[in-house]
Amino acid sequence: MDLTVWDATAVRELFCVLYGGHRDSHGEWHPNVHEAARRRRVSVRTVQRWLKARDDGQASIPPAQLAAITGRRRVRRSDLRREELQRMRQKKMLEREALGRGRGNLRADYSETGWLEPHVVLVLEDTQRPLRRIAVVKDSQTARRRATRGATVVDVSVARNKFLAERTRYEYLEAVGPWRIMLPGRSVPTGHTQVWLASAPLPTTPLNIDE
């Protein structure tokens, strides 16, 4: 999480996620300032002042206040380390695959798991909150339908196997890293540590999807 790159839109989205809000007919999110004021123990006018955009596009909220609000929402270092280990594992599997037959033959270990079949990388946006998340599933209508339930599909990439799809997942998460937040596990279906604010720039995909 890098708060220095957050603009006023990102801060409003964060307030919507934490305190509720609604999206208007133009697609812009508006936080519930009354709930935010109650939870932060400040006046409604103070919250409104925090959310107001400055001339440079940044929100007017003092950095110390924003840091206090986001403190418990930062992705834990342990989660980031685990993601890095997973990404390195996918890289090693792809390197092994590139060796071809013999040492590079993955079928003996993974032919029955379905991991060698095509998979899709789905970027999904919550219909009720300004949040996006990523899902990796088999390239089938049933799997896609299950994964996209209650969400809007923002982007889709197809990978030749799960190893490549998973590596793409972690490349994507790295690209949106400054806007990632962590939510309680019950707040999202899966991947509560792998969500980010919807206004984050969308990385160019596919990311090495055809390698």
Side-chain angles (χ1 to χ4, degrees):
M1 182 185 293
D2 182 0
L3 301 180
T4 63
V5 302
W6 285 26
D7 58 12
T9 298
V11 175
R12 287 196 300 271
E13 289 178 344
L14 175 69
F15 273 57
C16 285
V17 172
L18 299 182
Y19 311 121
H22 70 279
R23 181 159 46 184
D24 63 23
S25 59
H26 301 290
E28 295 184 359
W29 286 92
H30 301 275
N32 183 336
V33 294
H34 294 278
E35 179 64 13
R38 185 186 70 81
R39 297 269 296 277
R40 301 308 305 173
R41 298 183 180 180
V42 297
S43 68
V44 171
R45 289 180 63 86
T46 294
V47 174
Q48 292 171 332
R49 185 170 64 251
W50 285 352
L51 298 175
K52 185 177 181 180
R54 303 188 315 228
D55 291 340
D56 62 359
Q58 301 294 307
S60 298
I61 185 171
Q65 286 286 351
L66 183 56
I69 294 172
T70 59
R72 296 176 58 190
R73 303 302 176 184
R74 293 176 181 269
V75 180
R76 294 184 296 257
R77 291 182 181 179
S78 59
D79 291 314
L80 295 176
R81 285 196 298 269
R82 183 167 60 252
E83 289 176 7
E84 181 60 24
L85 290 174
Q86 287 292 331
R87 178 158 64 168
M88 292 303 296
R89 180 176 183 273
Q90 310 312 323
K91 180 181 178 181
K92 288 183 179 298
M93 289 296 100
L94 290 169
E95 290 173 349
R96 177 181 165 186
E97 180 191 34
L99 295 175
R101 292 173 180 258
R103 288 188 303 163
N105 187 356
L106 298 178
R107 293 200 171 277
D109 297 330
Y110 296 98
S111 60
E112 296 182 1
T113 65
W115 280 44
L116 302 182
E117 300 173 8
H119 280 64
V120 290
V121 182
L122 301 166
V123 177
L124 308 172
E125 184 166 333
D126 195 312
T127 58
Q128 303 299 319
R129 297 173 297 180
L131 282 177
R132 288 180 178 175
R133 57 185 173 87
I134 197 162
V136 171
V137 298
K138 285 185 179 181
D139 188 12
S140 70
Q141 290 186 349
T142 300
R144 288 196 189 203
R145 184 167 57 251
R146 186 182 302 117
T148 57
R149 187 176 297 126
T152 299
V153 178
V154 177
D155 193 33
V156 181
S157 298
V158 180
R160 67 173 178 272
N161 57 39
K162 185 175 174 64
F163 298 114
L164 188 53
E166 288 291 346
R167 192 184 71 175
T168 302
R169 177 210 296 271
Y170 295 117
E171 290 177 347
Y172 211 113
L173 290 172
E174 182 179 23
V176 298
W179 295 270
R180 285 178 64 181
I181 61 176
M182 186 175 71
L183 299 177
R186 65 181 183 279
S187 298
V188 290
T190 58
H192 66 283
T193 65
Q194 298 182 354
V195 297
W196 63 92
L197 300 176
S199 62
L202 192 68
T204 300
T205 54
L207 304 175
N208 296 325
I209 205 76
D210 294 324
E211 288 188 4

